[in-house]
Amino acid sequence: MSPEPGALEPELIADEPFEAQVTESHRSFEGRVWDIRSETFAYNDGMLTRDFVDHTGAVAILALDDEGRVLLIRQYRHPVRHREWEIPAGLLDVEGESPLVAAQRELAEEADLTAGDWNVLAEIHTSPGGSSEAIRIYLARGLAPTATPYARTDEEADIETRWVPLEEVIDGILARRLQNPSLTVGALTAHASRERGWESLGSPEEPWTRRPRRY
């Protein structure tokens, strides 16, 4: 329904950046991959202390081929005791590496693919109550195989790959057979964006203003 003439346009719903005054911040645990940070900050006329995963941030890639199929990979995730179907993804743990270059590297390392067409598809905070992790999800198209397969180790050594029509991925998400957050957000966003002529896509070099700062 259109607003009445002269009425104010409704404000677009959006997350609000806010910097609470931090009075103490220290690493309380150093882990193999991520650390735990403890911070005390002023909020609502009081002081609060919270512990959270101090995360490097990450990128994920929804690779879509000319037939409308998504590249899925399956690998073991020990904390949840599942071999999950996911999209290629990786940490932003290389000093000075841009998110786009990290995404290109991860697509090559996990899927032996390159892409000629990149766009920002979505950005998420995976667990904002307990982790600073932010993930930028890219849409990659114009796909081609890399010249040399990547030598994978650890949980990536037995990665499985499968090309699945986007609609079948959506069906799996809605039926709760697929649980991975990057896959879920990426596939649902891609499906909605495609219905709108891909008008929501962002430039691959778009500034990532919502990514939390690192210590």
Side-chain angles (χ1 to χ4, degrees):
M1 186 172 65
S2 300
E4 294 293 327
L8 295 175
E9 290 288 338
E11 182 179 354
L12 293 177
I13 186 168
D15 296 336
E16 177 189 14
F18 182 84
E19 285 282 348
Q21 180 184 0
V22 176
T23 59
E24 183 181 355
S25 179
H26 67 275
R27 183 173 59 192
S28 56
F29 175 79
E30 182 176 357
R32 293 179 181 272
V33 181
W34 303 294
D35 301 332
I36 302 298
R37 180 163 291 275
S38 180
E39 290 193 339
T40 300
F41 57 95
Y43 195 73
N44 282 345
D45 299 324
M47 301 301 295
L48 302 174
T49 299
R50 295 291 182 265
D51 302 320
F52 59 91
V53 176
D54 188 7
H55 201 284
T56 63
V59 290
I61 307 96
L62 189 133
L64 190 69
D65 71 6
D66 294 339
E67 299 176 39
R69 299 179 304 172
V70 178
L71 176 70
L72 301 186
I73 64 174
R74 182 159 65 179
Q75 63 177 315
Y76 179 58
R77 295 302 190 184
H78 185 71
V80 294
R81 307 307 200 267
H82 272 72
R83 297 189 69 231
E84 285 198 336
W85 285 108
E86 308 177 353
I87 55 178
L91 299 176
L92 291 168
D93 56 359
V94 176
E95 185 69 28
E97 186 178 56
S98 74
L100 175 60
V101 171
Q104 294 168 337
R105 173 175 55 80
E106 292 293 343
L107 184 62
E109 291 180 0
E110 294 196 347
D112 299 321
L113 288 174
T114 64
D117 188 9
W118 290 85
N119 290 99
V120 173
L121 182 62
E123 293 170 349
I124 57 175
H125 293 144
T126 56
S127 184
S131 173
S132 62
E133 181 181 24
I135 300 180
R136 170 170 275 189
I137 305 174
Y138 287 91
L139 175 68
R141 294 173 289 180
L143 304 170
T146 58
T148 305
Y150 189 78
R152 301 180 184 92
T153 60
D154 301 328
E155 292 97 334
E156 296 180 352
D158 62 348
I159 277 180
E160 299 175 47
T161 62
R162 184 178 299 179
W163 290 96
V164 183
L166 179 57
E167 290 78 8
E168 290 187 22
V169 177
I170 298 299
D171 289 343
I173 293 167
L174 296 179
R176 295 172 295 284
R177 298 191 303 270
L178 300 173
Q179 305 288 318
N180 182 263
S182 296
L183 171 60
T184 298
V185 173
L188 291 172
T189 304
H191 188 270
S193 185
R194 188 176 65 177
E195 292 296 308
R196 301 181 183 192
W198 299 114
E199 64 181 16
S200 69
L201 298 180
S203 164
E205 301 282 4
E206 181 178 296
W208 192 356
T209 59
R210 298 173 184 85
R211 183 185 173 195
R213 61 188 174 91
R214 288 282 295 163
Y215 297 88

